[in-house]
Amino acid sequence: MELKNNEPGVATWSDLKTFKIFSVSGGNQLYRNGYQQLKVKVVVEVEDWLWGSVALSQSELDSIVLVDALTGLALTKDRHREDIKDWRYTEREDSRFRQLPPNGPIQGSVPSGEFVYTKDFYVTTRSDTPIDLQLCITRADGKRFLSSKASEFGSLVLIPLAPAVYRSEQYSVRAIPAYYSSQSPDIAKVEGFVLELIVDQQRMEFVADFYMRTHLQIGSSDNRYSGYYVVGYGDGRAIRTSAYLSWERPDAVGRNLSEKGAVAFVLAFGKKGGPVWVRENRNSAALEMRDVFGNFHQLRVGITEETLAVWVAR
């Protein structure tokens, strides 16, 4: 694919030969959460006054924008903003998030040819209104050309979906074997717990925006331990909190249990006679995170004193 260095303001082609847009996956639906992306591919080929295919300049290729067919206005080429309910796009893929399974067959292809050019865009939305996307390219002399809605793949309709909301009973916490060898005077042993949300027989993955208001901590009536505390982990990292943890953080086991989009909680048992001393119980805390489809989850995580089990609820 050759790019031509045209002189500014000089037109070297007369019209569009191919100008189309299609969904790479075949789907046209995405959650209106501002995070999930839908990948679209743009194909463009231009011709000269003798109907022969000719090269585009880099500036002409870079001038291609997505346009709202209803208003004729170009979409904002930017990342999401929390307070603006509109459609946006970027050329950068956010690999943390996954597209929905396609709701239709894959349509559209890239023809062969020396002067056939492609671009990939990633569309996000917070709007609750569908959009009909067209393309616009600006020639070197400033003239603009729109893709034809009458031609195949000259436009693409995208449908926003309300962010998924799950019932409290769909979330569960499962105990999991955990071993942690500590050289500090803080931890006698640990137990592991993994959060589960099963949707369509698949475990939901959580990948971003983890926040836990505070680690949990409770005193011990068992004279073998000085107290208990719980540390949260998400997608292989310790979950951010607003409270300082003055005792050892069992990161090795927590990171391992929370790999590949999992959320884990490590319950640490304070060594008898050690520094783990709980002045005030913190039995529950707010928990936030974003799943692999970009949807936001606000939960509450807690610990039951009688059974030392971790629980979550909406």
Side-chain angles (χ1 to χ4, degrees):
M1 182 180 69
E2 180 184 347
L3 285 167
K4 190 170 183 179
N5 293 320
N6 295 345
E7 294 181 29
V10 177
T12 59
W13 50 272
S14 64
D15 209 347
L16 298 166
K17 192 170 188 177
T18 301
F19 202 22
K20 62 183 182 180
I21 179 173
F22 58 88
S23 167
V24 173
S25 69
N28 72 333
Q29 299 178 338
L30 68 164
Y31 286 120
R32 57 172 190 259
N33 54 39
Y35 287 81
Q36 186 180 43
Q37 297 177 320
L38 190 143
K39 182 179 180 181
V40 299
K41 187 173 290 290
V42 174
V43 182
V44 59
E45 184 179 10
V46 297
E47 60 188 14
D48 61 15
W49 287 264
L50 298 177
W51 305 290
S53 297
V54 292
L56 281 172
S57 68
Q58 183 65 60
S59 61
E60 288 171 327
L61 186 62
D62 292 342
S63 76
I64 296 175
V65 295
L66 300 182
V67 175
D68 184 337
L70 180 63
T71 65
L73 299 176
L75 273 63
T76 301
K77 192 175 183 181
D78 189 13
R79 292 299 306 277
H80 55 82
R81 289 184 181 175
E82 298 290 338
D83 57 342
I84 301 178
K85 295 185 177 181
D86 62 358
W87 289 85
R88 293 173 178 252
Y89 72 105
T90 179
E91 293 187 46
R92 180 183 298 179
E93 180 181 13
D94 191 335
S95 60
R96 297 175 300 172
F97 302 110
R98 190 182 304 160
Q99 292 190 181
L100 290 170
N103 59 319
I106 298 176
Q107 297 181 335
S109 60
V110 180
S112 60
E114 181 183 2
F115 301 119
V116 175
Y117 302 87
T118 63
K119 286 179 75 77
D120 291 333
F121 291 137
Y122 299 87
V123 182
T124 61
T125 188
R126 285 190 175 276
S127 173
D128 55 7
T129 304
I131 192 169
D132 190 0
L133 293 178
Q134 275 184 281
L135 303 168
C136 180
I137 186 171
T138 303
R139 198 168 60 184
D141 61 353
K143 184 175 180 179
R144 297 180 179 179
F145 295 78
L146 282 173
S147 58
S148 171
K149 290 190 63 177
S151 65
E152 188 177 26
F153 306 117
S155 66
L156 175 65
V157 175
L158 299 184
I159 309 296
L161 302 177
V165 177
Y166 303 99
R167 300 184 307 276
S168 183
E169 59 268 25
Q170 291 180 271
Y171 299 90
S172 63
V173 176
R174 176 171 55 91
I176 189 168
Y179 173 76
Y180 185 66
S181 178
S182 173
Q183 302 303 315
S184 81
D186 294 352
I187 299 177
K189 68 172 186 175
V190 299
E191 291 184 1
F193 299 86
V194 175
L195 171 68
E196 290 187 337
L197 171 61
I198 306 300
V199 180
D200 296 330
Q201 300 182 330
Q202 298 291 323
R203 179 181 66 85
M204 181 66 73
E205 295 178 21
F206 299 94
V207 297
D209 296 344
F210 294 101
Y211 175 71
M212 189 169 161
R213 178 68 180 82
T214 182
H215 62 272
L216 309 179
Q217 60 182 43
I218 58 174
S220 173
S221 58
D222 187 333
N223 59 15
R224 293 175 298 172
Y225 307 109
S226 59
Y228 312 95
Y229 60 97
V230 176
V231 184
Y233 296 84
D235 198 29
R237 305 181 302 276
I239 294 178
R240 178 176 61 91
T241 71
S242 298
Y244 175 73
L245 179 63
S246 56
W247 308 309
E248 181 184 7
R249 204 167 62 184
D251 286 346
V253 64
R255 289 169 178 165
N256 180 61
L257 293 179
S258 65
E259 287 182 344
K260 299 180 180 179
V263 173
F265 306 98
V266 180
L267 170 62
F269 291 64
K271 285 182 179 178
K272 182 179 180 180
V276 177
W277 180 53
V278 177
R279 292 184 177 88
E280 178 184 0
N281 283 0
R282 299 173 186 164
N283 301 69
S284 67
L287 175 67
E288 299 176 353
M289 56 211 168
R290 198 171 292 278
D291 67 36
V292 74
F293 297 112
N295 292 320
F296 194 55
H297 299 249
Q298 292 180 298
L299 305 173
R300 194 144 195 95
V301 58
I303 181 170
T304 303
E305 295 185 43
E306 294 78 9
T307 59
L308 295 179
V310 174
W311 53 265
V312 294
R314 275 196 70 227

